Amino acid sequence: MNIQTLQTHYQAHRQNYSEPFRLRIHRSLSWLDKAARTADEDLDNRFIMLWIAFNAAYAKETAAGVLGSERSGFRHFLQTLCRLDTEQQIYTLVWESFPGNIRLLLDNRYIFQPFWDFHNGLISETAWQDDFARARQKAHKALAAKDTDTVLAVVFDRLYTLRNQLIHGGATCNSSVNRTQLKDGCAILLRFMPLMLWIMQQNHQHPDWGQPFYPVVKDQ
């Protein structure tokens, strides 16, 4: 699935979508297209735009505002997506296209939040190391069992930490110290996002998509 095919499909079918769903896909596609056209060496901006595209697709309003935490929100979204993937396209992508990128991310301590909790004095060195060992064991067990839901949840949890480092000023622009994780993160998101939006459009009437944040409001 490439972005051009995705855009063509959206243009041809958007009149069949509800306005909230149409807005969700339209916004996500706009950021995904911009990220794809960003220079390969500009990994910081590419990753940020890819995460905005992801956020535009999954974030939704509820009676209480935000659906739990961001982490619980995208975990629920990914589970829904995998259930709707009747053709197992996500399964194929995860296990055939980028298992190497995933393994590198899972073994990278610099995008494991407890590692930074230790360096910020919140937990002990032993605590983060034990957490990391358990997380790696869980992730590699899921990899061995080809448990797509669990692997995606762990991968996006790591990507969320990387997202926080950039958005909250925890990294220098074009820093040499985080190129590896940004390169792997961008590679995964650039392949995953088009497939994600495709599956959503094939299931546009599914009730789980909900209302997007900040709907378009026109002046009266």
Side-chain angles (χ1 to χ4, degrees):
M1 178 58 57
N2 59 55
I3 297 172
Q4 185 176 3
T5 300
L6 194 63
Q7 290 172 324
T8 300
H9 181 84
Y10 167 72
Q11 293 297 329
H13 294 86
R14 62 181 180 178
Q15 72 274 8
N16 300 321
Y17 303 155
S18 68
E19 180 56 23
F21 185 82
R22 187 205 64 77
L23 181 61
R24 186 180 293 283
I25 299 298
H26 174 73
R27 286 172 169 172
S28 187
L29 271 173
S30 70
W31 287 102
L32 177 59
D33 179 63
K34 181 64 174 178
R37 290 187 288 108
T38 300
D40 289 341
E41 62 270 15
D42 192 2
L43 292 174
D44 298 295
N45 279 322
R46 173 172 280 177
F47 182 86
I48 290 169
M49 286 184 282
L50 285 167
W51 192 270
I52 294 173
F54 177 63
N55 218 97
Y58 88 83
K60 61 183 179 181
E61 286 276 14
T62 66
V66 181
L67 178 64
S69 68
E70 276 199 88
R71 275 188 167 95
S72 66
F74 67 67
R75 284 170 182 166
H76 176 77
F77 172 81
L78 292 169
Q79 289 171 351
T80 299
L81 207 65
C82 287
R83 286 199 304 271
L84 294 173
D85 181 23
T86 56
E87 297 180 5
Q88 293 194 311
Q89 295 176 86
I90 295 174
Y91 178 94
T92 300
L93 184 66
V94 168
W95 305 114
E96 294 184 8
S97 296
F98 47 65
N101 296 104
I102 288 176
R103 289 181 185 277
L104 288 172
L105 274 178
L106 296 179
D107 290 338
N108 191 323
R109 61 182 177 175
Y110 298 111
I111 49 176
F112 184 65
Q113 186 56 46
F115 173 77
W116 298 109
D117 292 340
F118 158 64
H119 281 280
N120 288 324
L122 301 177
I123 61 175
S124 68
E125 183 173 14
T126 300
W128 92 259
Q129 290 175 340
D130 288 346
D131 284 348
F132 192 53
R134 283 193 296 269
R136 288 181 65 192
Q137 184 179 27
K138 177 183 177 181
H140 286 284
K141 184 178 180 180
L143 283 167
K146 293 192 174 180
D147 181 352
T148 308
D149 285 14
T150 299
V151 169
L152 282 178
V154 176
V155 166
F156 273 83
D157 198 60
R158 298 288 205 279
L159 294 178
Y160 184 69
T161 298
L162 182 56
R163 170 260 188 207
N164 287 344
Q165 290 172 356
L166 292 171
I167 297 299
H168 296 296
T172 303
C173 183
N174 201 32
S175 172
S176 62
V177 300
N178 63 358
R179 294 301 92 182
T180 299
Q181 48 264 47
L182 276 171
K183 183 177 180 180
D184 290 327
C186 286
I188 290 171
L189 288 173
L190 274 173
R191 294 293 304 278
F192 179 76
M193 286 293 302
L195 182 54
M196 180 191 83
L197 293 175
W198 174 259
I199 294 171
M200 289 179 70
Q201 289 187 80
Q202 302 308 302
N203 298 273
H204 63 92
Q205 294 179 322
H206 195 276
D208 262 15
W209 308 135
Q211 296 287 330
F213 282 119
Y214 306 107
V216 175
V217 177
K218 298 180 180 179
D219 292 335
Q220 301 296 323

